[in-house]
Amino acid sequence: MKHKWSTKLVKSYMEPHKNEENAIPMAKYMKNNFPFLGIKTPERRMIFSALIKENEVPSLDLLHDEVWALFQLEEREYHYVAIELLSKYKKKLTVKDLSFCQRLIESKSWWDSVDSIAPKTVGDIVKANRVEGEAIMVEWAKSSNMWTNRASILHQLKYKTATNEELLFATIERHRSSKEFFIQKAIGWVLREYAKTNPEIVREFVENTQLAALSKREALKHFK
């Protein structure tokens, strides 16, 4: 008999796999911003697969509530499960769900959660709804929240030939003078990734744009 999805159900699958020996270095890697259960990624993914295979997943209208409930738990692995659950529905998500994605991005923020949401779930939503989605990304780029800015930069990370260059470069221009490490790093990362598709355009942009040294170094990492 399949059980109804709940936070309690998720905890019943995760808690038996707690590993304090792993938890300490995992928390340290994340600058001790969050406590950890000590469940490493491969094992966590196996637990998640069993969880969704053996039980009822939430209906679409309850998805936000269930994802948000997991995000309220302390241990970081529950936040990863929440993000993974959301991504299972990404083909059904629309631009209306971007405000919820932003809520997640701005909650218990760190690069690991933001980078799991932005290039995948957010990126897929925007790609399926370019006009409306890109208009929202422009607003995210103007946000006072640094993590939402990072998400706006990274949402096209996996787009390759589908990249909207005008939007990409305009977003980078807006933040090129930022002193934030995570913004400088995101700019370099997205340029380095797009260089795999269009190296000459990236090289030209980097040569003609005053970027932070970190952004420039990251962007040109694979150029000889």
Side-chain angles (χ1 to χ4, degrees):
M1 179 183 165
K2 290 192 172 186
H3 295 282
K4 188 178 178 182
W5 185 281
S6 68
T7 302
K8 185 177 179 181
L9 178 69
V10 176
K11 289 180 83 169
S12 75
Y13 272 73
M14 299 282 281
E15 293 283 342
H17 297 271
K18 281 175 74 169
N19 184 320
E20 288 185 21
E21 195 176 325
N22 290 340
I24 293 168
M26 287 170 79
K28 190 176 180 182
Y29 182 63
M30 291 298 163
K31 307 292 186 187
N32 292 309
N33 283 313
F34 316 97
F36 278 76
L37 292 167
I39 305 172
K40 293 187 176 180
T41 302
E43 186 179 11
R44 190 192 76 244
R45 285 182 175 153
M46 285 176 64
I47 295 166
F48 181 75
S49 294
L51 186 58
I52 61 170
K53 186 179 180 181
E54 296 166 8
N55 301 283
E56 288 181 24
V57 294
S59 60
L60 188 60
D61 60 332
L62 291 176
L63 179 63
H64 288 190
D65 290 342
E66 295 297 346
V67 169
W68 189 248
L70 286 168
F71 238 74
Q72 303 319 297
L73 299 177
E74 286 191 19
E75 291 85 1
R76 194 59 164 169
E77 289 93 337
Y78 290 120
H79 309 160
Y80 299 153
V81 170
I83 293 165
E84 205 161 352
L85 177 64
L86 183 67
S87 74
K88 294 294 285 186
Y89 292 75
K90 61 186 179 182
K91 290 182 180 176
K92 297 179 180 178
L93 300 178
T94 71
V95 287
K96 291 178 182 176
D97 296 290
L98 286 173
S99 60
F100 180 67
C101 292
Q102 184 177 1
R103 189 179 173 200
L104 293 176
I105 285 165
E106 295 182 359
S107 175
K108 301 182 181 179
S109 309
W110 199 239
W111 63 264
D112 56 336
S113 57
V114 175
D115 295 0
S116 294
I117 299 166
K120 298 171 187 172
T121 304
V122 171
D124 282 7
I125 292 171
V126 174
K127 192 187 265 189
N129 306 269
R130 294 301 284 256
V131 176
E132 289 179 85
E134 289 180 355
I136 292 168
M137 291 302 100
V138 169
E139 292 308 308
W140 281 23
K142 297 175 185 174
S143 171
S144 59
N145 185 285
M146 182 266 289
W147 296 108
T148 297
N149 298 156
R150 181 174 167 99
S152 73
I153 295 166
L154 293 179
H155 84 275
Q156 294 196 80
L157 187 71
K158 304 296 183 185
Y159 278 22
K160 298 181 180 177
T161 56
T163 299
N164 178 336
E165 284 180 7
E166 185 181 351
L167 176 60
L168 175 67
F169 295 147
T171 307
I172 291 171
E173 285 276 6
R174 171 174 280 278
H175 294 287
R176 65 182 174 81
S177 302
S178 173
K179 304 293 187 221
E180 290 281 359
F181 169 83
F182 288 108
I183 295 297
Q184 293 181 6
K185 192 86 171 174
I187 289 171
W189 186 16
V190 76
L191 287 172
R192 184 173 76 245
E193 197 66 24
Y194 188 49
K196 295 173 185 176
T197 299
N198 206 334
E200 291 312 311
I201 288 289
V202 171
R203 189 195 290 274
E204 184 183 344
F205 177 77
V206 172
E207 286 175 355
N208 293 295
T209 308
Q210 196 168 352
L211 297 172
L214 173 61
S215 298
K216 192 170 184 176
R217 189 165 63 249
E218 289 288 324
L220 300 178
K221 197 171 263 186
H222 299 312
F223 284 89
K224 293 181 179 177

